[in-house]
Amino acid sequence: NKAIIRSTIENEFTNGDRAKAVRVGQQLILASPENQVWGAVSRNTGVPRQITGYTLPPASTYKNVVYFYLPGGLDSWNLVVPKAGCVGKDMFAEYEAARQSLAMPKDDFLDIDATGQGHSCSTWGINKYFPVLK
């Protein structure tokens, strides 16, 4: 998969639109099977896995991948958001407009003071359900 991703984006990255190449590379990485096992690459070692909890052995060696799509919940767009003190515009209002019904209320974010850090906003918000990240 690494070779496929590299061959897909290499020319664009070197000679064209680097931002596009990075974006496409990220999408391909996130869609790759290796990424779908929490970042750990799973390899077939040829050694049968120990199966516990069953009285009969499996009927076949068939394996499949189950994909769950869970809309909503915690995604990166609701984890850290620009909250206040933004230069030239109200970026929290932009967040609300972009996320629409998925936007969380401003009070659901804990303040992170970014004053003097070179960010476009002086206050960012971290999802209140993840205070450990603050």
Side-chain angles (χ1 to χ4, degrees):
N1 285 334
K2 184 177 178 181
I4 293 170
I5 294 169
R6 177 179 227 151
S7 68
T8 303
I9 66 168
E10 193 166 36
N11 185 52
E12 191 71 37
F13 187 82
T14 305
N15 303 314
D17 183 351
R18 282 187 165 196
K20 177 182 175 185
V22 169
R23 196 171 49 252
V24 169
Q26 289 171 335
Q27 290 169 349
L28 291 172
I29 289 167
L30 289 174
S32 71
E34 289 88 354
N35 189 61
Q36 302 308 316
V37 289
W38 299 101
V41 176
S42 223
R43 300 199 190 283
N44 185 353
T45 63
V47 177
R49 289 186 294 166
Q50 286 288 55
I51 299 173
T52 60
Y54 297 95
T55 56
L56 298 174
S60 73
T61 59
Y62 173 78
K63 295 179 183 180
N64 65 352
V65 174
V66 177
Y67 177 82
F68 289 97
Y69 174 70
L70 303 173
L74 177 68
D75 55 36
S76 60
W77 301 107
N78 280 338
L79 185 58
V80 179
V81 299
K83 196 169 176 187
C86 302
V87 179
K89 55 186 165 184
D90 183 351
M91 291 179 68
F92 190 83
E94 288 184 11
Y95 155 79
E96 289 178 310
R99 296 294 286 173
Q100 298 181 6
S101 65
L102 297 176
M104 295 173 58
K106 199 176 245 188
D107 291 341
D108 281 357
F109 294 98
L110 305 173
D111 289 350
I112 298 174
D113 183 9
T115 305
Q117 300 298 313
H119 294 289
S120 55
C121 298
S122 62
T123 305
W124 290 75
I126 188 89
N127 188 304
K128 72 179 182 181
Y129 296 107
F130 283 83
V132 69
L133 298 178
K134 187 177 180 201

